[in-house]
Amino acid sequence: MVASEPVEKPRSVAVDLLLTANGRRVKAYLAKDNRSLRIVPGDGLMLTTRIEPTYDIHYNGFDYGHYLLVNGFTSRCFVRKDDWKKAAVSIATLSIVDRIKLKTLRWRHHLLQRFKSLAAADSDSYGVMAAMTLGDRSAISNDLRASYSLTGASHVLALSGLHMSILYCLISMLTFVGRRMLIIRALTIVLFWSFAMLTGLSPSVVRSALMLTLAAIITLRGTRSLSVNSLSLAAIVMLIASPLTLYDVGFQLSFLAVFAIVMLMPLMERILPPFFLLRHPFLRIVWSIVAVSIAAQMGTAPLVAYYFGRLPLYFIITNFLVIPAAYAILWLSLTYLILPFTVVGQSLLFVVSKLNAGLKAMSAWPYASIGPLQLSPVQVVAIYVVEVCLVLTICILAANRLRSYKAC
C-alpha cells in the first residue's frame, strides 16, 4: 500500500510503501512516467523488485541509511516502469493503527488537492500551506527551504506546539466550560489526536498532543500541570513506543526547545516588572515573543549548529513576522477547508505569499546567518554546560539582589 504523498524526483517518484504481509515500511523509488505520477496514498501496488537493506547508505557524507532506519524504514528499493502495476490489495492483515493511518492519508490527500487548486500558480505558497497545516513538506522547494533556514523560521514549517496551541485556542473559543467540562475535554483530546494522525504523527506533533492531553486530564481536577513532568512523560512514552525516535533530529530539537522555554521563561519574566507589563499589554506581547525566541534559541542553537552548520542571527525579528502569520495561516486554512469561500482562499494565499516574500528578503540581508560551522559532539556538550553555568549565575545574582531588596 502507498503510505505517503508521492514526491517527484528528477528521474523517479519516491513513495513510502507499507507491506501488507508484515507491516514493514519500505522507501521505494519508481521510474518516473505518467503512471507513477498519478499514484495517490492508499493505492495498492503489485511489484517485482530487489529490496535493499538500509545500512551503509551515504550521500555526500550524509548517513541516509541511518535516516531511513530512524524514520521506521527497514529497507529501500528501485522499481522499473514495467515491474509494477496497481492492484486490489487487502489490508485485513494490517494493524488497526496502520489501517487508520491509511484512511487519514487518503483524507489528507483530498485536502491537499484543495490547497493545490487554490495555489496552482504559486508552488511556494502551496508548499508552505501544505507544511503548516497538514504536515506535508514534500512540495517545499530548496530555495524556499533555504530562506526559512537562514532566517530562523524553519520551525514554523514543522508542525509543533505552536500549531497545536493555535488549534487549542480555536477549540476553546468554539466550546464552553461548565457542567459538561468532561465531555469538552474528551472532545478536545480526540481532536488533538485526530489532527496528529492527519498530519503524519511527526515527533513534535506527538509530543505536543501528549502534553496537551495530560494538561486536559489534569485540569479536570482543578490543578495546574507541571510542564517539565508532562514533557518528561511525553518523551518516555514516545521512546517506549519507538526507541529509535531518540536519534531523530526533529525529536531532539522539539524537546530541547520546549525544555528551554519551560526552564528559562520564569527567569526571563523577572527581567521586566510584572506591574509594568500588566499596564502595557502591547509591550507584554512583544516581550513574550522576545523571551520565547531567546529561550528556544538557547536550547536548540548548539544542536542546530552541529547538524546544519549554520546559525541564524535575525531569529527574534523573524518571529515577529512568523508567529502572527502562522496564526493567520492556520486559522484561514482551517476556515477554507471547512468553508471554501473564494475570499477566504484569496486571503490565505495573500498572507502566505507575503510571508514567503518577507523571509526571502530577510535571508538576503547582510550577516543573516553564521556559517559554515563544524562542531564536534564534545564542543556541543561544552556549549550546553556554559549555558547552564550562565543561567545558574544569573539566578544566584538575582536571588542575592532580591534578598538585598527585602533587607532594605
Side-chain angles (χ1 to χ4, degrees), residues 294-308:
I294 294 174
Q297 195 71 12
M298 288 185 66
T300 59
L303 214 57
V304 168
Y306 173 73
Y307 281 121
F308 305 107

Side-chain angles (χ1 to χ4, degrees), residues 79-97:
V79 187
R80 294 177 295 185
K81 62 180 181 179
D82 297 327
D83 290 344
W84 71 272
K85 63 180 180 180
K86 288 188 178 182
V89 180
S90 173
I91 60 174
T93 56
L94 296 176
S95 66
I96 295 177
V97 174

Side-chain angles (χ1 to χ4, degrees), residues 269-289:
E269 290 172 352
R270 296 177 184 175
I271 295 178
L272 294 180
F275 63 87
F276 176 78
L277 294 176
L278 289 175
R279 287 188 298 179
H280 301 83
F282 177 75
L283 290 179
R284 184 171 70 247
I285 295 173
V286 171
W287 176 241
S288 65
I289 294 177

Side-chain angles (χ1 to χ4, degrees), residues 133-153:
T133 57
L134 295 171
D136 179 26
R137 291 182 287 175
S138 61
I140 300 176
S141 64
N142 292 332
D143 290 341
L144 185 63
R145 196 184 299 270
S147 298
Y148 275 74
S149 177
L150 290 173
T151 55

Side-chain angles (χ1 to χ4, degrees), residues 139-394:
I140 300 176
S141 64
N142 292 332
D143 290 341
L144 185 63
R145 196 184 299 270
S147 298
Y148 275 74
S149 177
L150 290 173
T151 55
S154 295
H155 63 91
V156 80
L157 296 177
L159 292 176
S160 61
L162 172 63
H163 306 77
M164 297 294 280
S165 64
I166 297 173
L167 182 64
Y168 182 80
C169 292
L170 178 61
I171 296 172
S172 300
M173 291 180 62
L174 297 178
T175 58
F176 61 94
V177 178
R179 295 181 179 179
R180 299 178 182 177
M181 184 176 179
L182 178 60
I183 299 176
I184 298 302
R185 287 289 180 261
L187 177 61
T188 301
I189 293 172
V190 170
L191 289 175
F192 282 153
W193 287 103
S194 298
F195 180 74
M197 292 288 291
L198 184 64
T199 55
L201 291 175
S202 66
S204 57
V205 173
V206 172
R207 186 263 308 159
S208 301
L210 280 171
M211 291 187 66
L212 289 172
T213 298
L214 292 171
I217 294 173
I218 292 175
T219 51
L220 288 174
R221 301 177 56 186
T223 58
R224 296 184 61 184
S225 61
L226 297 176
S227 298
V228 175
N229 291 344
S230 300
L231 182 66
S232 302
L233 182 57
I236 292 171
V237 171
M238 291 178 65
L239 292 176
I240 290 176
S242 178
L244 289 177
T245 304
L246 178 64
Y247 301 99
D248 181 78
V249 178
F251 172 88
Q252 297 172 9
L253 293 176
S254 174
F255 274 87
L256 278 174
V258 177
F259 180 78
I261 291 172
V262 170
M263 298 301 295
L264 295 179
M265 278 304 292
L267 181 62
M268 302 287 287
E269 290 172 352
R270 296 177 184 175
I271 295 178
L272 294 180
F275 63 87
F276 176 78
L277 294 176
L278 289 175
R279 287 188 298 179
H280 301 83
F282 177 75
L283 290 179
R284 184 171 70 247
I285 295 173
V286 171
W287 176 241
S288 65
I289 294 177
V290 172
V292 169
S293 300
I294 294 174
Q297 195 71 12
M298 288 185 66
T300 59
L303 214 57
V304 168
Y306 173 73
Y307 281 121
F308 305 107
R310 282 194 172 276
L311 276 178
L313 295 183
Y314 301 134
F315 59 92
I316 295 179
I317 301 175
T318 298
N319 281 332
F320 281 105
L321 173 64
V322 165
I323 293 178
Y327 272 83
I329 291 170
L330 193 54
W331 280 64
L332 287 171
S333 298
L334 293 175
T335 304
Y336 181 74
L337 292 176
I338 298 172
L339 302 171
F341 297 141
T342 302
V343 63
V344 179
Q346 292 303 316
S347 300
L348 172 61
L349 199 58
F350 174 80
V351 174
V352 176
S353 61
K354 293 304 179 183
L355 173 63
N356 290 344
L359 292 179
K360 285 182 179 179
M362 289 179 62
S363 66
W365 289 359
Y367 309 106
S369 65
I370 302 175
L373 302 173
Q374 293 182 345
L375 298 182
S376 67
V378 175
Q379 289 174 318
V380 173
V381 173
I383 294 174
Y384 277 118
V385 170
V386 171
E387 287 187 356
V388 171
C389 293
L390 178 63
V391 171
L392 290 176
T393 301
I394 294 174

